[in-house]
Structures are given as C-alpha cells and as structure tokens.
Amino acid sequence: MKLQMLCLALVLLAVETNAIKQGKNVTIPALLVFGDSIMDTGNNNNLPTLLKCNFPPYGKDFPNGFASGRFSDGRVPSDLIAEKLGLAKTLPAYLNRNLKPDDLLKGVTFASGGTGYDPLTAKIMSVISVWDQLTYFKEYISKIKQHFGEERAQNILDHSFFLVVSSSNDLAHTYLAQSHRYDRKSYANFLADSAVKFVRELHKLGARKIGVFSAVPVGCVPLQRTVFGGMLTRGCNRPLNYMAKQFNARLSPALESLDKELDGLILYIDVYDTLFDMIQHPKKYGFEVADRGCCGSGALAVSYMCNILNPFTCSNSSAYVFWDSYHPTERAYQVIVDNLLDKYLSKVF
Ligand SMILES: *[C@@H]1O[C@H](CO)[C@@H](O)[C@H](O)[C@H]1NC(C)=O
Ligand SMILES: *[C@@H]1O[C@H](CO)[C@@H](O)[C@H](O)[C@H]1NC(C)=O
C-alpha cells in the first residue's frame, strides 16, 4: 500500500517535472541577438564592407555547404543557442532581404561582423555599430506590432532572451587607434561601461531577460599569435588578454548591480575561461589543433584571404578550435554553448 502510494507520487512528480520543462521551453518566444561576427548570420552580406565571408570555403560544414555569410565553417552561437532554446536550428539575420513577417517571430540577429561597443570600430570597418543595431531592433518591434498586434510584441519583449556579444574588435583593433587617448586599462573600462550603457538602453526599449558575454581571450587567436606572439614561439598576446580580463573584471560586478536595480534578469556570461581552457588543452575537448585556423595557412587568413583559391584549407574542421585565424569552428562554438547551457541558461529558463 505504502509502496503503491510512493510509486504514484513518483509518477506524479515525473509528470510535473516534465510539464515544467516543457513549460520552460514554451515560454521563450524568441532569441534576439546584438553584437559582432561571433553572432552575425549574414547581416554584412549587403553592406559596403570588405568584412564579409559569403563565399567558400566559409560554410563548408553548413547544410548544403552554403556560404551564408556566417564567419565560420558552419553554424555560429546565435544558431546553436536558438536550437538549445528549442526555437530553430538557425537564427535569421535581420537584414536578410528574403525574410517574411513570420520569419521574425522566433527571433533574429542584428549582429554585424567587425563591430564593437566603441562607435569608432564600426566606422573603421564600415559595418553596423551596436548602437545602430538598437535602431533596427525598434524597427523589428514595430514590424511585429504591425503584423501580429501589440500583445504579441509585448509577449516577445517580456519573455524572449536577449543576448549581447561584443568587445573583441574594440580590444584587438580599435585600441591601437585609440591608444593616444586611453591606456589599456582605461580603454577596457570605457568598453565595459559602454556595455552597461547598452544594456540600459535595451532594457528601456522593453527587453527583460538580457545576457551579456564576457570578452574572450582574443590575444590567443591565431592572427594575434602570428603578429604579436613571437616568430618561433607564437604565444598568446598577453597584453591583449590582460585587457580582455580587465573588461570582464569591470563588467561582471556592474551587471550584477544592474540586475538588482532593474526589473527582469541581467546575466553576465563568462566565456573567457572555457575558451582559454580549450586553447590550452585542446585534446581534453577532442581537438587536435588550437594555434592555427583550418582555413588557408591558418596563421593570418580572415575573410577574403580565406577563399577557394587558397589550397591549404584543412579537410576536418572538427579537429580545429579555430576555423580561420580569428573565428572558432562550429564544433568549438558547440562546446562553448553546451557549457553555457549547463552553467547559465538552465538557471534562467
Ligand atoms: C528545449 O527543447 C528542445 C527540443 O525539444 C531541446 O533540445 C532543448 O534542450 C530544450 N531547452 C531547454 C532550455 O530546456
Ligand atoms: C575529425 O576530427 C575529430 C576530432 O579530432 C575526430 O573525432 C573525427 O573522427 C575526425 N573526422 C574525420 C572524418 O576524420
């Protein structure tokens, strides 16, 4: 008798847990992403910039080998996180001209490769600044209202996950153009303060669940090793990693206090440690190579330098942490995103 009741209780518990899980999944209507090439799924394709990659071998491991404009061999974190949230296998780029109103409902990415928190970064690269991405977001919301009504738009604002991923280009490139105005530490602090300002703006526009990526160990990308890491040693660019860490040290507590101040949820998402560990111990994660990219010679090639005319592209990108000399492979992104889901997303949803 007692055993039967226990069994019944367990069955009920199982049913309930399942319902909560499904409920959790159902309550996230959309994923909306702001940032740079880590998150761009094709917004740069139609911009007058040299920073694009809608040609092979980019997309080599994407369905049908399609070079969609993603800065990788396959999918990027916008896609992988949308999949984790149960939304879609790929997240559309907002500036894709073929998008229909229905395609907007599960979210889009406004991210633009080459951009940063510093407005100068987008200007130098002729791409969309994160601040202009907010303008596109306003347009997105008004399109949702126009086609699906106020209530639907409000639901998307209240319950969607908003993700902000930037800083690598500011730290790695724009700092060199700003070093007469800032030292390393004060520039990193300026960027972190800009990120906080961005989150405030996004919250003002109605976003309520906002995650912000930390800076990555951008001093360890193959390009930085080649240029700054010493001819033979090709070590990481340490001063650059120091800046990334300073950015994180400033950003993390600032977001924590913003989370207390504002309604909703503001989340600092650390990706530095996971990527750094993957680069230092690639074998631990099933990778063979972490100091060169798969594409071309792997030491310098990005965008147009990594093209079909370059005969050295590796055959198995899954063995590489980096796809080109700046961007991780889909498989490396998958390891990071799986790690994030365990650590953060499962707490939120
Ligand atoms: C949501 O559902 C999808 C598909 O059923 C699943 O793969 C994903 O892990 C779920 N996400 C969460 C956060 O539970
Ligand atoms: C590609 O590399 C990965 C990681 O080293 C390995 O697990 C996989 O078997 C390789 N695939 C092929 C087709 O060689």
Side-chain angles (χ1 to χ4, degrees), residues 286 288 316 318-319:
E288 309 280 330
N316 183 6
S318 295

Side-chain angles (χ1 to χ4, degrees), residues 21-22 24-26 28 81-87 341 345-346 349:
K21 262 199 186 141
Q22 284 184 355
K24 274 182 177 179
N25 237 342
V26 166
I28 310 157
I81 294 170
E83 183 176 37
K84 286 278 180 203
L85 298 177
L87 294 166
L341 186 83
L345 298 185
S346 55
F349 300 108

Side-chain angles (χ1 to χ4, degrees), residues 287-312:
F287 296 100
E288 309 280 330
V289 186
D291 62 352
R292 281 180 290 120
C294 164
C295 172
S297 68
L300 273 173
V302 191
S303 187
Y304 282 100
M305 281 157 75
C306 172
N307 63 36
I308 201 82
L309 299 175
N310 194 322
F312 300 110

Side-chain angles (χ1 to χ4, degrees), residues 8 27 43 46-47 55 141 145 147 149 163 187 206 215 265 273 285 294-295 327:
L8 183 64
T27 55
N43 283 314
N46 298 317
L47 297 183
F55 43 81
I141 289 297
K145 283 183 184 162
H147 292 281
L163 202 50
Y187 189 63
L265 176 99
D273 292 335
Y285 298 87
C294 164
C295 172
H327 303 99

